[in-house]
Each structure stands twice: as structure tokens, then as C-alpha cells.
Amino acid sequence: MVELAFSEELKRKVSALEANKLSKSGQLQSKYSFHCLDQVCQIPLTCTNWCREGKRYYFKPSSNSKSHVDGCSMITSEEFKAQNEKDVNESKNTIKNGGYIIIDKYPGRSKTQSTAVPKANTLFQNQKNIKLRKKGINIAGVKKQNSHRSSMYSLIQLWKDKNILHNQNFLVLNGKNMSLNELFINLPNCARQVNGMHIFYGKAIITHKNDWPTCFKFCNFNRAILYGNYDYLKKRPATMTIDNYISSGKSVDVYFRGYLQEEGNKLKFLPFNEFLYQDIYIDD
């Protein structure tokens, strides 16, 4: 739940309270024509208490099957925790029922903050599609396969759960099956370039100075340093506790989803998504 969203009819940011008032005056036509303000997330949102009074006004995901991306800067730490718990349970149930866990990037939509006002028939189709998704049917009318797109947090929890079979190939990355043992790599045990995308992890010391990128120096691993944009790391629920560790000398468990490739005679971390900060998780 978020209190601010981008209105696709007004083409600007609005609060849920303002949207409610404009719905009652007829200036806004559809409770579905909103999306998340986070430039990476931008999932469709629905305004609550549309055209009526309520005790609280907020925007919620338009589909129960589509949550804010795990790096969304608009949701609170409480909502991030609740969303993660739900996703972990869905991931475990999928595995229990013989399904597959899909690993993919954040949505690469080009929706901008100048979205045109949708036509009436488009709004109707959007509402119809949302109802179909809630029933487990995609817009083409085909039943979903037994699969679930898990967040980075969920993948980490699956890795830490000793009751999950780590050598079972229930993960799907770029159309290929793999196991948790193949996905996760302990950095102190990594001496050279690793082919393909993985989740690397280890204890790290975090430092940051002025306008320089934040540095994650992994203990017992000196082949590469992980960097991230401090301002964005501070905004994201997955890394917002970063100030507790910067220059403190305390190490913390850090996970990174991406690539470790050779450049010259050195190794370099490259992101799975567009930016490094989107693929970092501080596990404290």
C-alpha cells in the first residue's frame, strides 16, 4: 500500500486522498488508471474507496499476483516485510506442488511520467484483464503453468531453508533449469570468473565517502569490490539499514545478484538488472 501514485489521466503525481476527491467530482474516471512512482517498479495500482468516504485512502497493487518489485523505493519497510513473507510462502508452496521458480529481471517497461490519457475502451479492457488475472487466467485466456516468479529475498530464504532440496532443479533462469546449489556462490570460495548469472554472498565491510559510490569489500575475497549508489541504496527497503554499517568496521551478510566477469587481470561485478544497487541485499 502506498499513499502516492502517478495518475495516468492527470499525468502527474497524486495522493490517494486527492484522487478520492477528484473521483467524487468526476475529474477522474477510473480507479485503475494509476501506477507506482518508482521508475523501476511502475506496477499498476488501484485507488481504494473510489467515489466514497473511507477511514483511510491508499493505492494497492491492481492484481493480487503482482506485487511491487523487491527494490521499490515507494513501499514502507513494514509493507516490504509483509510482501516478502507472502512471496516466500508462495514460493515454497510452488516447490511443494512440483512447480518451478522463475528468476527474471525487473519489468523493462518504458512507461514514463507523461503517459497519455487512456480511452474508455482501454480502461474497460484493463479492468477485465485484472479480473482474469485474479482468477489465475492470463489475458489470452490460458491457465497459468505451475510456476512462480520469486523475489531476490525469497530466493535467499529458500537457500537458507535446510528443508528445501538444494540440488533439485526447480529454478528457471533464461529458459534453463538450475538448482539452488548452482545459483548461490560463496565469494571466499570463488577465485575466477563465473559464467552466467548467480547470487554471490559473503561477509562484507561497507564504506562510503562524500559523493563516491558505496563500497562493499567482501571478507576473504579481494578479487573485486562491489559498488552501489548510496542515495538509492538508502531508499530501498532491502538496503536501507546501510548507515548502521558504513565505516563502523562491522561486517554484515551481503548478497549480490548478477555476474562476476574478468576485465583485464581483475574481476568485476556486473548487475543482473540495469544498475548494481538494484541487485544488492543486506541480510541483517
Side-chain angles (χ1 to χ4, degrees), residues 15-28:
S15 69
L17 178 60
E18 180 186 5
N20 173 267
K21 292 179 179 178
L22 294 177
S23 73
K24 289 185 285 189
S25 68
Q27 291 177 262
L28 286 177

Side-chain angles (χ1 to χ4, degrees), residues 75-131:
I75 59 176
T76 64
S77 57
E78 291 78 13
E79 185 175 2
F80 177 68
K81 181 179 179 181
Q83 181 172 291
N84 280 338
E85 290 176 352
K86 176 184 176 183
D87 192 70
V88 169
N89 289 332
E90 290 178 353
S91 298
K92 289 183 177 181
N93 286 334
T94 299
I95 296 171
K96 182 179 179 180
N97 293 323
Y100 294 93
I101 300 300
I102 311 297
I103 304 173
D104 57 10
K105 297 182 179 182
Y106 292 147
R109 294 184 298 167
S110 59
K111 181 183 287 185
T112 66
Q113 308 300 13
S114 61
T115 305
V117 178
K119 298 179 180 179
N121 61 341
T122 302
L123 295 175
F124 173 78
Q125 186 61 46
N126 287 342
Q127 295 172 27
K128 181 180 179 181
N129 291 344
I130 289 167
K131 291 179 180 178

Side-chain angles (χ1 to χ4, degrees), residues 255-273:
Y255 290 81
F256 172 70
R257 173 181 50 190
Y259 305 87
L260 185 60
Q261 296 184 356
E262 289 184 3
E263 286 197 359
N265 60 349
K266 295 184 179 181
L267 293 178
K268 183 177 182 180
F269 289 108
L270 298 174
F272 179 52
N273 288 284

Side-chain angles (χ1 to χ4, degrees), residues 62-66 90 127-149:
S62 296
S63 171
N64 289 332
S65 63
K66 196 165 188 179
E90 290 178 353
Q127 295 172 27
K128 181 180 179 181
N129 291 344
I130 289 167
K131 291 179 180 178
L132 289 173
R133 292 190 193 102
K134 289 181 178 180
K135 294 179 180 179
I137 303 172
N138 66 19
I139 58 174
V142 180
K143 276 285 184 179
K144 292 181 179 179
Q145 295 179 347
N146 186 14
S147 62
H148 177 70
R149 282 174 167 77

Side-chain angles (χ1 to χ4, degrees), residues 19-243:
N20 173 267
K21 292 179 179 178
L22 294 177
S23 73
K24 289 185 285 189
S25 68
Q27 291 177 262
L28 286 177
Q29 301 299 314
S30 174
K31 64 181 179 181
Y32 300 108
S33 56
F34 302 91
H35 66 256
C36 181
L37 284 167
D38 185 279
Q39 291 296 312
V40 176
C41 184
Q42 295 194 55
I43 64 166
L45 298 175
T46 298
C47 186
T48 60
N49 292 313
W50 193 253
C51 290
R52 59 187 174 87
E53 296 294 328
K55 292 183 178 180
R56 186 182 174 193
Y57 304 95
Y58 57 88
F59 298 97
K60 65 178 183 178
S62 296
S63 171
N64 289 332
S65 63
K66 196 165 188 179
S67 303
H68 291 270
V69 299
D70 54 356
C72 180
S73 60
M74 294 303 298
I75 59 176
T76 64
S77 57
E78 291 78 13
E79 185 175 2
F80 177 68
K81 181 179 179 181
Q83 181 172 291
N84 280 338
E85 290 176 352
K86 176 184 176 183
D87 192 70
V88 169
N89 289 332
E90 290 178 353
S91 298
K92 289 183 177 181
N93 286 334
T94 299
I95 296 171
K96 182 179 179 180
N97 293 323
Y100 294 93
I101 300 300
I102 311 297
I103 304 173
D104 57 10
K105 297 182 179 182
Y106 292 147
R109 294 184 298 167
S110 59
K111 181 183 287 185
T112 66
Q113 308 300 13
S114 61
T115 305
V117 178
K119 298 179 180 179
N121 61 341
T122 302
L123 295 175
F124 173 78
Q125 186 61 46
N126 287 342
Q127 295 172 27
K128 181 180 179 181
N129 291 344
I130 289 167
K131 291 179 180 178
L132 289 173
R133 292 190 193 102
K134 289 181 178 180
K135 294 179 180 179
I137 303 172
N138 66 19
I139 58 174
V142 180
K143 276 285 184 179
K144 292 181 179 179
Q145 295 179 347
N146 186 14
S147 62
H148 177 70
R149 282 174 167 77
S150 294
S151 67
M152 182 176 177
Y153 174 85
S154 292
L155 293 171
I156 294 171
Q157 299 313 306
L158 293 177
W159 169 247
K160 294 165 67 175
D161 191 335
K162 298 186 181 300
N163 294 318
I164 301 293
L165 295 177
H166 286 40
N167 60 351
Q168 185 175 338
N169 292 333
F170 54 73
L171 302 176
V172 179
L173 174 63
N174 296 328
K176 297 182 179 180
N177 292 84
M178 67 188 306
S179 67
L180 288 168
N181 283 338
E182 293 172 307
L183 177 64
F184 283 82
I185 294 180
N186 188 3
L187 276 171
N189 298 332
C190 187
R192 58 179 64 88
Q193 173 176 312
V194 180
N195 294 326
M197 196 284 290
H198 294 272
I199 295 181
F200 302 91
Y201 68 97
K203 294 283 186 182
I205 301 293
I206 306 173
T207 59
H208 175 72
K209 292 183 180 179
N210 301 323
D211 295 329
W212 291 86
T214 299
C215 299
F216 296 82
K217 297 180 180 180
F218 288 94
C219 304
N220 302 315
F221 177 79
N222 58 9
R223 295 293 309 280
I225 296 175
L226 177 61
Y227 297 97
N229 183 299
Y230 171 78
D231 292 332
Y232 286 107
L233 289 168
K234 182 64 180 174
K235 291 178 182 178
R236 297 173 69 249
T239 51
M240 66 189 309
T241 60
I242 192 170
D243 284 344

